[in-house]
Amino acid sequence: MTRPCPIVFDLDGTLIDSAPDIHACVNAVLREHDLPLLSLDRVRSFIGGGVEVLWTRIIAACAIDPVHRRVLIAAFMTRYHDATALTRLYPGALEALGLLAEAGHPLGLCTNKPMAPTRVVLEHFGLSRLLPVVVGGDSLPQRKPDPAPLRLALAQLGATGDRPRALYVGDSEFDAHCAAAVPVPFLIYSQGYRTTPIADLPHQAVFDRFDQLPGLIAEAALA
């Protein structure tokens, strides 16, 4: 592997499949308020922009009066804070992070998920020790695709400047456009939550399995 460089990861749809837990929390809130329920696929398509974007899309999909927005989000957060029962690590993700850490790559996380549930899920899966730098969806006023959160994570890993020597790994439109805005090379995980064809998103490489990632990172870092 080439000279180590900082690598930042997205979380939902990249390292973990959290859609079943998010779906369960959403439908619990909708059921509580006698509102129509949503399918897992529909909720999955709404994930990536953070809680505010998630509920903006739910409210539009269910034709809910926006006046109820704050109440619905508050009810959701009480459930979402520690929702891990249905969440799973993607196969090979933990092993890939371990290999990259052993190779000397400083690792971090940049997610639109709020910090509190992010910390809970990282502890649940034993990821905290591998990802010492974490920027959540409420760490800054801005969220991805704005580049500010990723720039903060990169700076905390020692990657600064107009074109930092670093990589970003994610799964969605939010991640691709965020990386392009920094700019840093972007590696996209094909099994996540994006709704746009990969060919239409800016990226340097695509991977379907996490055992492919260390080799792709070596190639990307050399490019």
Side-chain angles (χ1 to χ4, degrees), residues 8-96:
V8 179
F9 289 82
D10 173 52
L11 184 58
D12 298 85
T14 300
L15 297 176
I16 61 170
D17 181 11
S18 54
D21 266 315
I22 295 173
H23 173 247
C25 293
V26 165
N27 274 351
V29 173
L30 295 176
R31 189 179 296 109
E32 182 180 85
H33 290 83
D34 296 318
L35 294 166
L37 305 185
L38 294 171
S39 69
L40 174 58
D41 286 344
R42 195 78 185 278
V43 171
R44 185 186 290 113
S45 74
F46 295 160
I47 297 172
V51 172
E52 296 285 340
V53 171
L54 173 72
W55 277 94
T56 295
R57 293 173 170 177
I58 292 168
I59 286 167
C62 297
I64 300 168
D65 188 335
V67 73
H68 301 301
R69 178 186 179 87
R70 291 290 112 201
V71 171
L72 295 173
I73 290 177
F76 173 78
M77 287 304 299
T78 62
R79 295 167 169 84
Y80 185 44
H81 179 270
D82 58 357
T84 58
L86 304 176
T87 296
R88 299 289 181 267
L89 276 170
Y90 282 112
L94 182 62
E95 293 80 1

Side-chain angles (χ1 to χ4, degrees), residues 92-110:
L94 182 62
E95 293 80 1
L97 289 175
L99 287 173
L100 293 170
E102 288 173 9
H105 293 280
L107 304 180
L109 191 79
C110 180

Side-chain angles (χ1 to χ4, degrees), residues 92-214:
L94 182 62
E95 293 80 1
L97 289 175
L99 287 173
L100 293 170
E102 288 173 9
H105 293 280
L107 304 180
L109 191 79
C110 180
T111 175
N112 279 340
K113 194 185 196 79
M115 187 64 88
T118 294
R119 291 291 189 192
V120 169
V121 80
L122 291 180
E123 287 296 325
H124 179 75
F125 287 110
L127 297 176
S128 297
R129 62 185 177 83
L130 295 168
L131 298 165
V133 167
V134 178
V135 175
D138 48 4
S139 296
L140 293 174
Q142 305 91 340
R143 297 185 185 91
K144 299 179 295 181
D146 190 289
L150 180 53
R151 284 183 179 140
L152 176 59
L154 292 170
Q156 291 179 6
L157 290 171
T160 58
D162 292 338
R163 300 187 69 89
R165 183 180 179 273
L167 301 170
Y168 188 41
V169 181
D171 72 295
S172 73
E173 297 84 351
F174 296 93
D175 302 323
H177 295 304
C178 178
V182 170
V184 289
F186 177 60
L187 282 67
I188 188 166
Y189 179 50
S190 66
Q191 305 303 305
Y193 301 158
R194 65 181 169 76
T195 57
T196 302
I198 288 176
D200 294 339
L201 295 174
H203 66 281
Q204 180 152 331
V206 57
F207 64 104
D208 308 312
R209 305 186 321 272
F210 270 90
D211 61 1
Q212 300 169 323
L213 185 59

